[in-house]
């Protein structure tokens, strides 16, 4: 386990347990106590947790982690999901991508598809990191929404972002979410992101949620859209069968990959 993976694991654990001990984490992650102390000090400096004598406790920020700390979580599942999502794209389409680790992987898949080079592709995004990765691809036209950037997700939010979205239409929206429930719908931790994502969904002919199974049957602070607005859910193949059946009953096509 490298340092990035260890930091992400520590944030996962402190988010679940609310309080952790240095010695316990050293034994659980098979590293020295000194390494754990340095890791916790580093995370505390970024205000992702609060240090205590002998350990650390969760803060409210720990549930909306910066994108750089989410990258290593469920990485194989996200790769399979992004591969399946990218195969849905046809040359010449107008694609929407919001921010997130899975949608970033979708963007990388699209960037390397040779069959898209001849007819091109238009990508509309409110994610600065996705725009930065795709802008160097001559066959991809990038439209960035504008707005105010969030450090956690690199997403642009606010009224400046809505002006462009109200003037365009999308063939496909690949929607990354923080949680999705078959009865309650898709959610984001941040209300500003939820608002922009909701508008992007309303402008799309098809809405495709890309989410690993840890997000299924969950909910977060702000709703993006009801489950009935999601045309397709792409998730990993070990997702609970009963949840997948519930999505299917709501009219959402499910791809478990």
């Amino acid at each position: 386990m490298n340092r990035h993976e260890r930091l992400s694991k520590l944030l996962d654990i402190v988010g679940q347990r609310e309080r952790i001990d240095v010695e316990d984490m050293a034994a659980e992650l098979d590293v020295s106590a000194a390494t754990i102390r340095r890791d916790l000090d580093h995370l505390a400096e970024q205000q992702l947790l609060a240090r205590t004598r002998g350990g650390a406790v969760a803060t409210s920020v720990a549930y909306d982690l910066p994108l750089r700390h989410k990258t290593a979580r469920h990485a194989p599942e996200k790769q399979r999901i992004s591969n399946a999502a990218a195969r849905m794209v046809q040359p010449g389409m107008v694609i929407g991508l919001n921010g997130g680790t899975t949608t970033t992987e979708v963007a990388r898949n699209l960037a390397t598809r040779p069959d898209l080079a001849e007819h091109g592709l238009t990508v509309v995004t409110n994610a600065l990191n996705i725009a930065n990765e795709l802008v160097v691809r001559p066959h991809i036209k990038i439209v960035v929404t504008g707005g105010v950037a969030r450090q956690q997700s690199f997403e642009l939010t606010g009224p400046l972002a809505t002006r462009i979205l109200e003037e365009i239409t999308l063939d496909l929206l690949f929607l990354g979410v923080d949680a999705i429930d078959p009865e309650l719908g898709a959610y984001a931790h941040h209300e500003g992101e939820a608002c922009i994502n909701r508008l992007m969904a309303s402008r799309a002919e098809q809405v495709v949620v890309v989410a690993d199974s840890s997000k299924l049957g969950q909910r977060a602070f702000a709703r993006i859209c009801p489950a009935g607005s999601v045309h397709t859910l792409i998730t990993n193949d070990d997702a609970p069968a009963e949840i997948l059946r519930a999505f299917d009953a709501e009219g959402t096509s499910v791809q478990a990959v």
Side-chain angles (χ1 to χ4, degrees):
M1 182 182 295
N2 62 36
R3 187 172 189 240
H4 179 86
E5 292 171 330
R6 194 172 62 248
L7 292 172
S8 294
K9 184 66 174 178
L10 284 169
L11 288 171
D12 275 342
I13 294 171
V14 77
Q16 294 166 7
R17 304 178 190 175
E18 297 188 357
R19 180 180 295 273
I20 57 175
D21 176 80
V22 168
E23 299 296 334
D24 290 343
M25 289 299 96
E28 191 165 333
L29 301 183
D30 194 26
V31 294
S32 69
T35 296
I36 295 296
R37 290 190 191 96
R38 287 194 294 270
D39 288 346
L40 295 180
D41 288 342
H42 174 75
L43 295 172
E45 288 173 2
Q46 298 184 58
Q47 300 181 335
L48 296 174
L49 48 71
R51 285 287 268 124
T52 62
R53 185 177 179 84
V57 295
T59 66
S60 59
V61 181
Y63 298 98
D64 188 12
L65 304 176
L67 193 67
R68 64 186 181 277
H69 286 298
K70 296 179 181 178
T71 303
R73 301 163 73 181
H74 310 287
E77 293 89 343
K78 290 174 181 177
Q79 188 60 58
R80 296 199 305 272
I81 291 166
S82 66
N83 289 343
R87 287 196 292 269
M88 297 180 68
V89 176
Q90 300 298 318
M93 277 186 166
V94 180
I95 304 302
L97 292 166
N98 71 330
T101 54
T102 310
T103 50
T104 298
E105 288 301 319
V106 175
R108 289 168 179 164
N109 270 275
L110 296 176
T112 56
R113 267 186 51 181
D115 61 309
L116 297 177
E118 183 177 352
H119 299 285
L121 187 72
T122 298
V123 173
V124 179
T125 186
N126 69 325
L128 292 173
N129 66 307
I130 290 176
N132 181 63
E133 289 204 26
L134 295 184
V135 72
V136 297
R137 305 288 179 171
H139 62 286
I140 298 179
K141 176 181 178 180
I142 295 293
V143 179
V144 183
T145 63
V148 178
R150 293 195 69 234
Q151 292 181 339
Q152 282 88 346
S153 63
F154 306 141
E155 285 194 71
L156 299 167
T157 65
L160 293 175
T162 65
R163 295 181 184 178
I164 290 177
L165 291 173
E166 288 170 349
E167 302 297 325
I168 64 173
T169 58
L170 306 170
D171 295 312
L172 273 174
L173 169 65
F174 292 113
L175 182 64
V177 300
D178 291 314
I180 183 167
D181 181 87
E183 295 183 4
L184 301 173
Y187 285 82
H189 287 309
H190 189 267
E191 68 278 4
E193 290 180 7
C195 180
I196 297 304
N197 295 343
R198 185 182 309 119
L199 181 54
M200 292 178 78
S202 74
R203 308 306 296 166
E205 185 175 343
Q206 289 190 66
V207 176
V208 180
V209 167
V210 286
D212 67 75
S213 60
S214 69
K215 298 175 181 178
L216 306 188
Q218 306 295 320
R219 47 185 151 167
F221 176 65
R223 189 163 83 153
I224 298 169
C225 63
S229 297
V230 177
H231 299 90
T232 303
L233 167 66
I234 306 179
T235 188
N236 43 291
D237 57 6
D238 57 353
E242 63 274 14
I243 294 183
L244 299 185
R245 285 194 295 268
F247 279 109
D248 186 64
E250 292 293 323
T252 300
S253 174
V254 176
Q255 291 187 39
V257 296

